[in-house]
Amino acid sequence: MKSLAELAAIRDKMKGKVGIRADHDDDTRIVVGMATCGIAAGARPVLNAFVELAAKHTEKHVSVTQTGCIGICQYEPVVEVMEPGKDKVTYVKMTAEKAAEVFEKHICGGKVVTEYTIGTAHK
Amino acid sequence: MKQLSENILDIAENSVKARASLIEIILEENPLLNTLSIEIRDNGCGMDNETLERVTNPFYTTRTTRKVGLGIPFFKMGAEMTGGTFHIESKVGQGTVIGTMYHTDHVDFIPLGDIASTLMTLIGGAPEIDFVYKHTRGEKEVLLDTRQLRETLGDISLDTPEVLIWIRDYINEMYDAFNN
Ligand SMILES: Nc1ncnc2c1ncn2[C@@H]1O[C@H](COP(=O)(O)OP(=O)(O)OP(=O)(O)O)[C@@H](O)[C@H]1O
């Protein structure tokens, strides 16, 4: 059974890391749309898949955040990937499985998964 | 929505946007009557009477990117489809209470689903806000209060991915005991 003692252990582990990287300007940001349209289309498992992957790959310095509706509800769940110094990439109609693929190929491998991007979905 | 926990996420996101500092999500089951009630309470900015009247109407929203606010109408519809009820009270500067009641034995009742994911999403999206989640059925209870977690965490933020995953697993384990 999970206990608060376990949470205290996480705290102690994190304490050692805090302060080492003062600025987060070079972080990769993954932004997931979480308005009604996104949630209804299944954004919650997509978001949480990214949180889990970010926790697993702390060396990648990925921050996962949420946003409201960006006005393309028919393409939800929508995910934007912003890497410093690069163009924003917008992934559409995402699932938890596609999230894992994007994390592996794009975040870790540096290659945009073109078939899930909005440009491809438009065609 | 396919799960009530998705409705809860959607409604509680409004409380986050309303700049609440405390959001309470209270679920109460009555196994004898086969009912479930859900209430989401916040101490955010609240709504004036005009907004309140229009908010259950699907053609109303203050957002500008899309003309239709669907969160509250979806929540209301889900409850009424089971023969249940919906209520909303709000006061500017004080906060909002939104609640539903479901007949759980009705064919149109959709399950609660993955509430742990909902809480992980809410807390991760607004780690500065306090959340209380409480689900009771008779003597049994699932309870999470971020104020208590904060005492343990000190200055480590609630949106630390490892902490969020712990929260999810903690809720799921409480539910294992709750459902047995
Ligand atoms: N807890 C709350 N506190 C204050 N205002 C609220 C609250 N909940 C809803 N509102 C107001 O009611 C409006 C409608 O909410 P609703 O959830 O139906 O749609 P929405 O949030 O505008 O858009 P979306 O459908 O993308 O969620 C909100 O834009 C907000 O102005």
Side-chain angles (χ1 to χ4, degrees), chain A residues 39-40 44, chain B residues 1-8 27 36 38 74-83 100-114:
Chain A
I39 296 168
R44 188 184 54 172
Chain B
M1 307 283 171
K2 295 185 190 74
Q3 304 179 350
L4 291 181
S5 54
E6 291 175 315
N7 285 118
I8 293 173
L27 280 71
L36 166 69
I38 300 178
F74 274 176
F75 195 41
K76 179 170 186 261
M77 190 180 71
E80 289 174 349
M81 270 169 48
T82 72
T100 45
M101 189 274 283
Y102 305 82
H103 288 286
T104 55
D105 52 353
H106 192 284
V107 285
D108 290 322
F109 176 73
I110 61 168
L112 181 59
D114 192 356

PDB file of all heavy atoms in Angstrom, chain A residues 39-40 44, chain B residues 1-8 27 36 38 74-83 100-114:
ATOM      1  N   ILE A  39     -11.104  17.242 -23.755  1.00  0.00           N
ATOM      2  CA  ILE A  39     -11.410  16.176 -22.786  1.00  0.00           C
ATOM      3  C   ILE A  39     -12.367  15.163 -23.405  1.00  0.00           C
ATOM      4  O   ILE A  39     -12.163  13.953 -23.323  1.00  0.00           O
ATOM      5  CB  ILE A  39     -12.016  16.765 -21.484  1.00  0.00           C
ATOM      6  CG1 ILE A  39     -10.991  17.656 -20.777  1.00  0.00           C
ATOM      7  CG2 ILE A  39     -12.462  15.644 -20.546  1.00  0.00           C
ATOM      8  CD1 ILE A  39     -11.586  18.504 -19.645  1.00  0.00           C
ATOM      9  N   ALA A  40     -13.419  15.669 -24.080  1.00  0.00           N
ATOM     10  CA  ALA A  40     -14.415  14.773 -24.685  1.00  0.00           C
ATOM     11  C   ALA A  40     -13.780  13.897 -25.759  1.00  0.00           C
ATOM     12  O   ALA A  40     -14.209  12.771 -25.985  1.00  0.00           O
ATOM     13  CB  ALA A  40     -15.573  15.585 -25.263  1.00  0.00           C
ATOM     14  N   ARG A  44      -7.312  13.449 -21.786  1.00  0.00           N
ATOM     15  CA  ARG A  44      -6.782  13.117 -20.460  1.00  0.00           C
ATOM     16  C   ARG A  44      -5.733  11.997 -20.495  1.00  0.00           C
ATOM     17  O   ARG A  44      -4.634  12.174 -19.959  1.00  0.00           O
ATOM     18  CB  ARG A  44      -7.947  12.773 -19.520  1.00  0.00           C
ATOM     19  CG  ARG A  44      -7.557  12.606 -18.076  1.00  0.00           C
ATOM     20  CD  ARG A  44      -8.745  12.173 -17.236  1.00  0.00           C
ATOM     21  NE  ARG A  44      -9.361  10.972 -17.805  1.00  0.00           N
ATOM     22  CZ  ARG A  44     -10.313  10.275 -17.216  1.00  0.00           C
ATOM     23  NH1 ARG A  44     -10.797  10.657 -16.058  1.00  0.00           N
ATOM     24  NH2 ARG A  44     -10.809   9.201 -17.797  1.00  0.00           N
TER      25      ARG A  44
ATOM     26  N   MET B   1     -18.798  12.746 -23.323  1.00  0.00           N
ATOM     27  CA  MET B   1     -17.895  12.154 -22.345  1.00  0.00           C
ATOM     28  C   MET B   1     -18.237  10.676 -22.154  1.00  0.00           C
ATOM     29  O   MET B   1     -19.391  10.299 -22.117  1.00  0.00           O
ATOM     30  CB  MET B   1     -18.022  12.864 -20.991  1.00  0.00           C
ATOM     31  CG  MET B   1     -17.849  14.372 -21.078  1.00  0.00           C
ATOM     32  SD  MET B   1     -16.142  14.873 -21.254  1.00  0.00           S
ATOM     33  CE  MET B   1     -16.348  16.616 -21.604  1.00  0.00           C
ATOM     34  N   LYS B   2     -17.198   9.874 -21.972  1.00  0.00           N
ATOM     35  CA  LYS B   2     -17.422   8.441 -21.811  1.00  0.00           C
ATOM     36  C   LYS B   2     -17.368   8.034 -20.346  1.00  0.00           C
ATOM     37  O   LYS B   2     -17.775   6.944 -19.970  1.00  0.00           O
ATOM     38  CB  LYS B   2     -16.360   7.656 -22.587  1.00  0.00           C
ATOM     39  CG  LYS B   2     -16.474   7.877 -24.096  1.00  0.00           C
ATOM     40  CD  LYS B   2     -15.475   6.982 -24.840  1.00  0.00           C
ATOM     41  CE  LYS B   2     -15.394   7.341 -26.309  1.00  0.00           C
ATOM     42  NZ  LYS B   2     -14.656   8.613 -26.555  1.00  0.00           N
ATOM     43  N   GLN B   3     -16.816   8.916 -19.495  1.00  0.00           N
ATOM     44  CA  GLN B   3     -16.708   8.621 -18.069  1.00  0.00           C
ATOM     45  C   GLN B   3     -17.107   9.856 -17.274  1.00  0.00           C
ATOM     46  O   GLN B   3     -16.800  10.974 -17.682  1.00  0.00           O
ATOM     47  CB  GLN B   3     -15.252   8.268 -17.712  1.00  0.00           C
ATOM     48  CG  GLN B   3     -14.665   7.126 -18.508  1.00  0.00           C
ATOM     49  CD  GLN B   3     -13.212   6.841 -18.115  1.00  0.00           C
ATOM     50  OE1 GLN B   3     -12.583   7.610 -17.377  1.00  0.00           O
ATOM     51  NE2 GLN B   3     -12.697   5.735 -18.598  1.00  0.00           N
ATOM     52  N   LEU B   4     -17.728   9.650 -16.121  1.00  0.00           N
ATOM     53  CA  LEU B   4     -18.083  10.800 -15.277  1.00  0.00           C
ATOM     54  C   LEU B   4     -16.834  11.533 -14.802  1.00  0.00           C
ATOM     55  O   LEU B   4     -16.857  12.740 -14.600  1.00  0.00           O
ATOM     56  CB  LEU B   4     -18.895  10.335 -14.058  1.00  0.00           C
ATOM     57  CG  LEU B   4     -20.306   9.825 -14.359  1.00  0.00           C
ATOM     58  CD1 LEU B   4     -20.989   9.418 -13.063  1.00  0.00           C
ATOM     59  CD2 LEU B   4     -21.122  10.878 -15.092  1.00  0.00           C
ATOM     60  N   SER B   5     -15.734  10.790 -14.656  1.00  0.00           N
ATOM     61  CA  SER B   5     -14.499  11.442 -14.210  1.00  0.00           C
ATOM     62  C   SER B   5     -14.014  12.475 -15.234  1.00  0.00           C
ATOM     63  O   SER B   5     -13.302  13.411 -14.876  1.00  0.00           O
ATOM     64  CB  SER B   5     -13.411  10.408 -13.934  1.00  0.00           C
ATOM     65  OG  SER B   5     -13.234   9.573 -15.059  1.00  0.00           O
ATOM     66  N   GLU B   6     -14.408  12.318 -16.502  1.00  0.00           N
ATOM     67  CA  GLU B   6     -14.064  13.329 -17.515  1.00  0.00           C
ATOM     68  C   GLU B   6     -14.932  14.579 -17.339  1.00  0.00           C
ATOM     69  O   GLU B   6     -14.463  15.705 -17.493  1.00  0.00           O
ATOM     70  CB  GLU B   6     -14.224  12.762 -18.927  1.00  0.00           C
ATOM     71  CG  GLU B   6     -13.184  11.696 -19.252  1.00  0.00           C
ATOM     72  CD  GLU B   6     -13.404  11.049 -20.603  1.00  0.00           C
ATOM     73  OE1 GLU B   6     -14.557  10.690 -20.935  1.00  0.00           O
ATOM     74  OE2 GLU B   6     -12.435  10.881 -21.339  1.00  0.00           O
ATOM     75  N   ASN B   7     -16.206  14.366 -17.016  1.00  0.00           N
ATOM     76  CA  ASN B   7     -17.069  15.515 -16.699  1.00  0.00           C
ATOM     77  C   ASN B   7     -16.517  16.275 -15.491  1.00  0.00           C
ATOM     78  O   ASN B   7     -16.486  17.509 -15.483  1.00  0.00           O
ATOM     79  CB  ASN B   7     -18.490  15.063 -16.329  1.00  0.00           C
ATOM     80  CG  ASN B   7     -19.310  14.631 -17.538  1.00  0.00           C
ATOM     81  OD1 ASN B   7     -19.719  13.481 -17.619  1.00  0.00           O
ATOM     82  ND2 ASN B   7     -19.526  15.544 -18.465  1.00  0.00           N
ATOM     83  N   ILE B   8     -16.104  15.519 -14.478  1.00  0.00           N
ATOM     84  CA  ILE B   8     -15.588  16.144 -13.256  1.00  0.00           C
ATOM     85  C   ILE B   8     -14.359  16.983 -13.586  1.00  0.00           C
ATOM     86  O   ILE B   8     -14.223  18.126 -13.127  1.00  0.00           O
ATOM     87  CB  ILE B   8     -15.255  15.063 -12.194  1.00  0.00           C
ATOM     88  CG1 ILE B   8     -16.549  14.400 -11.716  1.00  0.00           C
ATOM     89  CG2 ILE B   8     -14.475  15.665 -11.014  1.00  0.00           C
ATOM     90  CD1 ILE B   8     -16.333  13.207 -10.792  1.00  0.00           C
ATOM     91  N   LEU B  27     -18.170  13.026  -3.703  1.00  0.00           N
ATOM     92  CA  LEU B  27     -19.039  12.010  -4.283  1.00  0.00           C
ATOM     93  C   LEU B  27     -19.670  11.210  -3.156  1.00  0.00           C
ATOM     94  O   LEU B  27     -18.976  10.818  -2.212  1.00  0.00           O
ATOM     95  CB  LEU B  27     -18.248  11.045  -5.177  1.00  0.00           C
ATOM     96  CG  LEU B  27     -17.920  11.511  -6.598  1.00  0.00           C
ATOM     97  CD1 LEU B  27     -16.882  12.611  -6.579  1.00  0.00           C
ATOM     98  CD2 LEU B  27     -17.423  10.342  -7.425  1.00  0.00           C
ATOM     99  N   LEU B  36     -25.984   8.106  -7.024  1.00  0.00           N
ATOM    100  CA  LEU B  36     -24.648   8.696  -6.829  1.00  0.00           C
ATOM    101  C   LEU B  36     -24.823  10.198  -6.956  1.00  0.00           C
ATOM    102  O   LEU B  36     -25.477  10.668  -7.902  1.00  0.00           O
ATOM    103  CB  LEU B  36     -23.682   8.200  -7.908  1.00  0.00           C
ATOM    104  CG  LEU B  36     -22.353   8.976  -8.037  1.00  0.00           C
ATOM    105  CD1 LEU B  36     -21.453   8.749  -6.822  1.00  0.00           C
ATOM    106  CD2 LEU B  36     -21.607   8.582  -9.318  1.00  0.00           C
ATOM    107  N   ILE B  38     -22.684  13.908  -7.109  1.00  0.00           N
ATOM    108  CA  ILE B  38     -21.369  14.529  -7.295  1.00  0.00           C
ATOM    109  C   ILE B  38     -21.539  16.022  -7.052  1.00  0.00           C
ATOM    110  O   ILE B  38     -22.495  16.623  -7.544  1.00  0.00           O
ATOM    111  CB  ILE B  38     -20.843  14.319  -8.736  1.00  0.00           C
ATOM    112  CG1 ILE B  38     -20.701  12.836  -9.060  1.00  0.00           C
ATOM    113  CG2 ILE B  38     -19.504  15.059  -8.938  1.00  0.00           C
ATOM    114  CD1 ILE B  38     -20.225  12.552 -10.482  1.00  0.00           C
ATOM    115  N   PHE B  74     -23.153  19.482 -20.769  1.00  0.00           N
ATOM    116  CA  PHE B  74     -22.851  18.042 -20.821  1.00  0.00           C
ATOM    117  C   PHE B  74     -23.079  17.391 -19.466  1.00  0.00           C
ATOM    118  O   PHE B  74     -23.636  16.297 -19.355  1.00  0.00           O
ATOM    119  CB  PHE B  74     -21.374  17.814 -21.193  1.00  0.00           C
ATOM    120  CG  PHE B  74     -21.075  17.788 -22.662  1.00  0.00           C
ATOM    121  CD1 PHE B  74     -19.762  17.681 -23.098  1.00  0.00           C
ATOM    122  CD2 PHE B  74     -22.086  17.857 -23.623  1.00  0.00           C
ATOM    123  CE1 PHE B  74     -19.450  17.658 -24.457  1.00  0.00           C
ATOM    124  CE2 PHE B  74     -21.785  17.831 -24.981  1.00  0.00           C
ATOM    125  CZ  PHE B  74     -20.462  17.736 -25.387  1.00  0.00           C
ATOM    126  N   PHE B  75     -22.601  18.066 -18.433  1.00  0.00           N
ATOM    127  CA  PHE B  75     -22.671  17.535 -17.071  1.00  0.00           C
ATOM    128  C   PHE B  75     -24.136  17.372 -16.662  1.00  0.00           C
ATOM    129  O   PHE B  75     -24.545  16.332 -16.135  1.00  0.00           O
ATOM    130  CB  PHE B  75     -21.941  18.505 -16.139  1.00  0.00           C
ATOM    131  CG  PHE B  75     -21.610  17.960 -14.780  1.00  0.00           C
ATOM    132  CD1 PHE B  75     -21.147  16.669 -14.612  1.00  0.00           C
ATOM    133  CD2 PHE B  75     -21.737  18.768 -13.648  1.00  0.00           C
ATOM    134  CE1 PHE B  75     -20.813  16.185 -13.347  1.00  0.00           C
ATOM    135  CE2 PHE B  75     -21.413  18.292 -12.384  1.00  0.00           C
ATOM    136  CZ  PHE B  75     -20.953  17.001 -12.237  1.00  0.00           C
ATOM    137  N   LYS B  76     -24.910  18.402 -16.963  1.00  0.00           N
ATOM    138  CA  LYS B  76     -26.334  18.424 -16.625  1.00  0.00           C
ATOM    139  C   LYS B  76     -27.078  17.312 -17.372  1.00  0.00           C
ATOM    140  O   LYS B  76     -27.838  16.540 -16.793  1.00  0.00           O
ATOM    141  CB  LYS B  76     -26.891  19.798 -17.018  1.00  0.00           C
ATOM    142  CG  LYS B  76     -28.363  20.002 -16.776  1.00  0.00           C
ATOM    143  CD  LYS B  76     -28.728  21.478 -16.969  1.00  0.00           C
ATOM    144  CE  LYS B  76     -30.160  21.775 -16.612  1.00  0.00           C
ATOM    145  NZ  LYS B  76     -31.038  21.840 -17.779  1.00  0.00           N
ATOM    146  N   MET B  77     -26.804  17.225 -18.661  1.00  0.00           N
ATOM    147  CA  MET B  77     -27.489  16.253 -19.506  1.00  0.00           C
ATOM    148  C   MET B  77     -27.215  14.830 -19.041  1.00  0.00           C
ATOM    149  O   MET B  77     -28.113  13.986 -18.993  1.00  0.00           O
ATOM    150  CB  MET B  77     -27.012  16.439 -20.940  1.00  0.00           C
ATOM    151  CG  MET B  77     -27.797  15.682 -21.965  1.00  0.00           C
ATOM    152  SD  MET B  77     -27.119  15.995 -23.627  1.00  0.00           S
ATOM    153  CE  MET B  77     -25.567  15.099 -23.536  1.00  0.00           C
ATOM    154  N   GLY B  78     -25.954  14.563 -18.676  1.00  0.00           N
ATOM    155  CA  GLY B  78     -25.571  13.221 -18.231  1.00  0.00           C
ATOM    156  C   GLY B  78     -26.382  12.769 -17.028  1.00  0.00           C
ATOM    157  O   GLY B  78     -26.777  11.603 -16.931  1.00  0.00           O
ATOM    158  N   ALA B  79     -26.628  13.702 -16.112  1.00  0.00           N
ATOM    159  CA  ALA B  79     -27.395  13.356 -14.907  1.00  0.00           C
ATOM    160  C   ALA B  79     -28.876  13.194 -15.239  1.00  0.00           C
ATOM    161  O   ALA B  79     -29.524  12.225 -14.821  1.00  0.00           O
ATOM    162  CB  ALA B  79     -27.213  14.447 -13.853  1.00  0.00           C
ATOM    163  N   GLU B  80     -29.406  14.115 -16.039  1.00  0.00           N
ATOM    164  CA  GLU B  80     -30.844  14.074 -16.340  1.00  0.00           C
ATOM    165  C   GLU B  80     -31.218  12.861 -17.178  1.00  0.00           C
ATOM    166  O   GLU B  80     -32.334  12.342 -17.070  1.00  0.00           O
ATOM    167  CB  GLU B  80     -31.258  15.395 -17.011  1.00  0.00           C
ATOM    168  CG  GLU B  80     -31.234  16.546 -15.979  1.00  0.00           C
ATOM    169  CD  GLU B  80     -31.500  17.922 -16.569  1.00  0.00           C
ATOM    170  OE1 GLU B  80     -31.495  18.050 -17.811  1.00  0.00           O
ATOM    171  OE2 GLU B  80     -31.695  18.861 -15.761  1.00  0.00           O
ATOM    172  N   MET B  81     -30.274  12.387 -17.978  1.00  0.00           N
ATOM    173  CA  MET B  81     -30.544  11.191 -18.794  1.00  0.00           C
ATOM    174  C   MET B  81     -30.767   9.949 -17.944  1.00  0.00           C
ATOM    175  O   MET B  81     -31.364   8.978 -18.397  1.00  0.00           O
ATOM    176  CB  MET B  81     -29.403  10.944 -19.778  1.00  0.00           C
ATOM    177  CG  MET B  81     -29.636  11.665 -21.092  1.00  0.00           C
ATOM    178  SD  MET B  81     -28.200  11.684 -22.187  1.00  0.00           S
ATOM    179  CE  MET B  81     -27.687   9.984 -22.160  1.00  0.00           C
ATOM    180  N   THR B  82     -30.269   9.957 -16.695  1.00  0.00           N
ATOM    181  CA  THR B  82     -30.486   8.795 -15.827  1.00  0.00           C
ATOM    182  C   THR B  82     -31.705   9.004 -14.927  1.00  0.00           C
ATOM    183  O   THR B  82     -31.943   8.221 -14.006  1.00  0.00           O
ATOM    184  CB  THR B  82     -29.256   8.535 -14.918  1.00  0.00           C
ATOM    185  OG1 THR B  82     -29.203   9.571 -13.908  1.00  0.00           O
ATOM    186  CG2 THR B  82     -27.956   8.513 -15.693  1.00  0.00           C
ATOM    187  N   GLY B  83     -32.453  10.073 -15.195  1.00  0.00           N
ATOM    188  CA  GLY B  83     -33.578  10.407 -14.327  1.00  0.00           C
ATOM    189  C   GLY B  83     -33.139  11.157 -13.080  1.00  0.00           C
ATOM    190  O   GLY B  83     -33.892  11.306 -12.126  1.00  0.00           O
ATOM    191  N   THR B 100     -24.644  17.125  -9.298  1.00  0.00           N
ATOM    192  CA  THR B 100     -25.523  16.253 -10.063  1.00  0.00           C
ATOM    193  C   THR B 100     -25.903  15.066  -9.197  1.00  0.00           C
ATOM    194  O   THR B 100     -25.220  14.732  -8.233  1.00  0.00           O
ATOM    195  CB  THR B 100     -24.795  15.698 -11.307  1.00  0.00           C
ATOM    196  OG1 THR B 100     -23.487  15.278 -10.912  1.00  0.00           O
ATOM    197  CG2 THR B 100     -24.698  16.722 -12.411  1.00  0.00           C
ATOM    198  N   MET B 101     -27.013  14.433  -9.574  1.00  0.00           N
ATOM    199  CA  MET B 101     -27.398  13.172  -8.934  1.00  0.00           C
ATOM    200  C   MET B 101     -27.786  12.201 -10.061  1.00  0.00           C
ATOM    201  O   MET B 101     -28.456  12.590 -11.017  1.00  0.00           O
ATOM    202  CB  MET B 101     -28.568  13.403  -7.978  1.00  0.00           C
ATOM    203  CG  MET B 101     -28.901  12.205  -7.102  1.00  0.00           C
ATOM    204  SD  MET B 101     -30.011  11.047  -7.926  1.00  0.00           S
ATOM    205  CE  MET B 101     -31.577  11.907  -7.749  1.00  0.00           C
ATOM    206  N   TYR B 102     -27.303  10.967  -9.927  1.00  0.00           N
ATOM    207  CA  TYR B 102     -27.524   9.952 -10.960  1.00  0.00           C
ATOM    208  C   TYR B 102     -28.244   8.752 -10.364  1.00  0.00           C
ATOM    209  O   TYR B 102     -27.987   8.384  -9.218  1.00  0.00           O
ATOM    210  CB  TYR B 102     -26.193   9.433 -11.513  1.00  0.00           C
ATOM    211  CG  TYR B 102     -25.285  10.511 -12.033  1.00  0.00           C
ATOM    212  CD1 TYR B 102     -24.485  11.239 -11.147  1.00  0.00           C
ATOM    213  CD2 TYR B 102     -25.223  10.808 -13.388  1.00  0.00           C
ATOM    214  CE1 TYR B 102     -23.652  12.237 -11.602  1.00  0.00           C
ATOM    215  CE2 TYR B 102     -24.392  11.812 -13.856  1.00  0.00           C
ATOM    216  CZ  TYR B 102     -23.609  12.528 -12.963  1.00  0.00           C
ATOM    217  OH  TYR B 102     -22.794  13.523 -13.419  1.00  0.00           O
ATOM    218  N   HIS B 103     -29.083   8.124 -11.183  1.00  0.00           N
ATOM    219  CA  HIS B 103     -29.591   6.803 -10.832  1.00  0.00           C
ATOM    220  C   HIS B 103     -28.643   5.797 -11.461  1.00  0.00           C
ATOM    221  O   HIS B 103     -28.601   5.653 -12.684  1.00  0.00           O
ATOM    222  CB  HIS B 103     -31.028   6.630 -11.332  1.00  0.00           C
ATOM    223  CG  HIS B 103     -32.000   7.441 -10.529  1.00  0.00           C
ATOM    224  ND1 HIS B 103     -32.381   7.076  -9.258  1.00  0.00           N
ATOM    225  CD2 HIS B 103     -32.627   8.608 -10.794  1.00  0.00           C
ATOM    226  CE1 HIS B 103     -33.215   7.986  -8.769  1.00  0.00           C
ATOM    227  NE2 HIS B 103     -33.382   8.932  -9.685  1.00  0.00           N
ATOM    228  N   THR B 104     -27.868   5.121 -10.595  1.00  0.00           N
ATOM    229  CA  THR B 104     -26.786   4.279 -11.110  1.00  0.00           C
ATOM    230  C   THR B 104     -27.293   3.001 -11.777  1.00  0.00           C
ATOM    231  O   THR B 104     -26.544   2.331 -12.484  1.00  0.00           O
ATOM    232  CB  THR B 104     -25.819   3.897  -9.970  1.00  0.00           C
ATOM    233  OG1 THR B 104     -26.573   3.277  -8.928  1.00  0.00           O
ATOM    234  CG2 THR B 104     -25.109   5.124  -9.414  1.00  0.00           C
ATOM    235  N   ASP B 105     -28.573   2.663 -11.553  1.00  0.00           N
ATOM    236  CA  ASP B 105     -29.111   1.450 -12.191  1.00  0.00           C
ATOM    237  C   ASP B 105     -29.827   1.765 -13.512  1.00  0.00           C
ATOM    238  O   ASP B 105     -30.427   0.899 -14.118  1.00  0.00           O
ATOM    239  CB  ASP B 105     -30.056   0.715 -11.228  1.00  0.00           C
ATOM    240  CG  ASP B 105     -31.133   1.641 -10.652  1.00  0.00           C
ATOM    241  OD1 ASP B 105     -31.068   2.877 -10.895  1.00  0.00           O
ATOM    242  OD2 ASP B 105     -32.035   1.133  -9.956  1.00  0.00           O
ATOM    243  N   HIS B 106     -29.728   3.009 -13.949  1.00  0.00           N
ATOM    244  CA  HIS B 106     -30.352   3.399 -15.216  1.00  0.00           C
ATOM    245  C   HIS B 106     -29.422   3.021 -16.375  1.00  0.00           C
ATOM    246  O   HIS B 106     -28.199   3.139 -16.244  1.00  0.00           O
ATOM    247  CB  HIS B 106     -30.605   4.914 -15.204  1.00  0.00           C
ATOM    248  CG  HIS B 106     -31.488   5.388 -16.307  1.00  0.00           C
ATOM    249  ND1 HIS B 106     -31.052   5.517 -17.591  1.00  0.00           N
ATOM    250  CD2 HIS B 106     -32.797   5.760 -16.310  1.00  0.00           C
ATOM    251  CE1 HIS B 106     -32.051   5.954 -18.353  1.00  0.00           C
ATOM    252  NE2 HIS B 106     -33.130   6.109 -17.590  1.00  0.00           N
ATOM    253  N   VAL B 107     -29.989   2.592 -17.515  1.00  0.00           N
ATOM    254  CA  VAL B 107     -29.130   2.171 -18.646  1.00  0.00           C
ATOM    255  C   VAL B 107     -28.223   3.285 -19.158  1.00  0.00           C
ATOM    256  O   VAL B 107     -27.155   3.014 -19.699  1.00  0.00           O
ATOM    257  CB  VAL B 107     -29.933   1.653 -19.876  1.00  0.00           C
ATOM    258  CG1 VAL B 107     -30.467   0.269 -19.613  1.00  0.00           C
ATOM    259  CG2 VAL B 107     -31.031   2.611 -20.292  1.00  0.00           C
ATOM    260  N   ASP B 108     -28.628   4.533 -18.983  1.00  0.00           N
ATOM    261  CA  ASP B 108     -27.810   5.638 -19.496  1.00  0.00           C
ATOM    262  C   ASP B 108     -26.762   6.137 -18.507  1.00  0.00           C
ATOM    263  O   ASP B 108     -26.061   7.106 -18.794  1.00  0.00           O
ATOM    264  CB  ASP B 108     -28.708   6.809 -19.929  1.00  0.00           C
ATOM    265  CG  ASP B 108     -29.492   6.464 -21.179  1.00  0.00           C
ATOM    266  OD1 ASP B 108     -28.915   5.782 -22.050  1.00  0.00           O
ATOM    267  OD2 ASP B 108     -30.673   6.849 -21.279  1.00  0.00           O
ATOM    268  N   PHE B 109     -26.644   5.465 -17.370  1.00  0.00           N
ATOM    269  CA  PHE B 109     -25.615   5.856 -16.401  1.00  0.00           C
ATOM    270  C   PHE B 109     -24.233   5.467 -16.949  1.00  0.00           C
ATOM    271  O   PHE B 109     -24.015   4.321 -17.311  1.00  0.00           O
ATOM    272  CB  PHE B 109     -25.862   5.170 -15.053  1.00  0.00           C
ATOM    273  CG  PHE B 109     -24.793   5.453 -14.036  1.00  0.00           C
ATOM    274  CD1 PHE B 109     -24.704   6.702 -13.432  1.00  0.00           C
ATOM    275  CD2 PHE B 109     -23.852   4.475 -13.701  1.00  0.00           C
ATOM    276  CE1 PHE B 109     -23.705   6.972 -12.503  1.00  0.00           C
ATOM    277  CE2 PHE B 109     -22.856   4.739 -12.769  1.00  0.00           C
ATOM    278  CZ  PHE B 109     -22.787   5.993 -12.176  1.00  0.00           C
ATOM    279  N   ILE B 110     -23.333   6.439 -17.011  1.00  0.00           N
ATOM    280  CA  ILE B 110     -21.981   6.106 -17.453  1.00  0.00           C
ATOM    281  C   ILE B 110     -21.085   5.990 -16.222  1.00  0.00           C
ATOM    282  O   ILE B 110     -21.294   6.662 -15.222  1.00  0.00           O
ATOM    283  CB  ILE B 110     -21.402   7.116 -18.478  1.00  0.00           C
ATOM    284  CG1 ILE B 110     -21.298   8.528 -17.902  1.00  0.00           C
ATOM    285  CG2 ILE B 110     -22.240   7.138 -19.758  1.00  0.00           C
ATOM    286  CD1 ILE B 110     -20.483   9.470 -18.765  1.00  0.00           C
ATOM    287  N   PRO B 111     -20.101   5.097 -16.263  1.00  0.00           N
ATOM    288  CA  PRO B 111     -19.298   4.855 -15.061  1.00  0.00           C
ATOM    289  C   PRO B 111     -18.401   6.035 -14.700  1.00  0.00           C
ATOM    290  O   PRO B 111     -18.112   6.891 -15.537  1.00  0.00           O
ATOM    291  CB  PRO B 111     -18.459   3.639 -15.434  1.00  0.00           C
ATOM    292  CG  PRO B 111     -18.432   3.625 -16.918  1.00  0.00           C
ATOM    293  CD  PRO B 111     -19.702   4.261 -17.390  1.00  0.00           C
ATOM    294  N   LEU B 112     -17.960   6.033 -13.439  1.00  0.00           N
ATOM    295  CA  LEU B 112     -17.043   7.070 -12.959  1.00  0.00           C
ATOM    296  C   LEU B 112     -15.723   7.006 -13.737  1.00  0.00           C
ATOM    297  O   LEU B 112     -15.173   8.022 -14.123  1.00  0.00           O
ATOM    298  CB  LEU B 112     -16.786   6.870 -11.458  1.00  0.00           C
ATOM    299  CG  LEU B 112     -15.878   7.868 -10.775  1.00  0.00           C
ATOM    300  CD1 LEU B 112     -16.426   9.280 -10.891  1.00  0.00           C
ATOM    301  CD2 LEU B 112     -15.673   7.484  -9.312  1.00  0.00           C
ATOM    302  N   GLY B 113     -15.249   5.800 -13.972  1.00  0.00           N
ATOM    303  CA  GLY B 113     -14.017   5.644 -14.762  1.00  0.00           C
ATOM    304  C   GLY B 113     -12.775   6.057 -13.994  1.00  0.00           C
ATOM    305  O   GLY B 113     -12.731   5.943 -12.765  1.00  0.00           O
ATOM    306  N   ASP B 114     -11.810   6.567 -14.727  1.00  0.00           N
ATOM    307  CA  ASP B 114     -10.470   6.774 -14.189  1.00  0.00           C
ATOM    308  C   ASP B 114     -10.335   8.091 -13.422  1.00  0.00           C
ATOM    309  O   ASP B 114      -9.780   9.060 -13.921  1.00  0.00           O
ATOM    310  CB  ASP B 114      -9.491   6.728 -15.370  1.00  0.00           C
ATOM    311  CG  ASP B 114      -8.044   6.641 -14.934  1.00  0.00           C
ATOM    312  OD1 ASP B 114      -7.784   6.694 -13.715  1.00  0.00           O
ATOM    313  OD2 ASP B 114      -7.186   6.525 -15.817  1.00  0.00           O
TER     314      ASP B 114
END
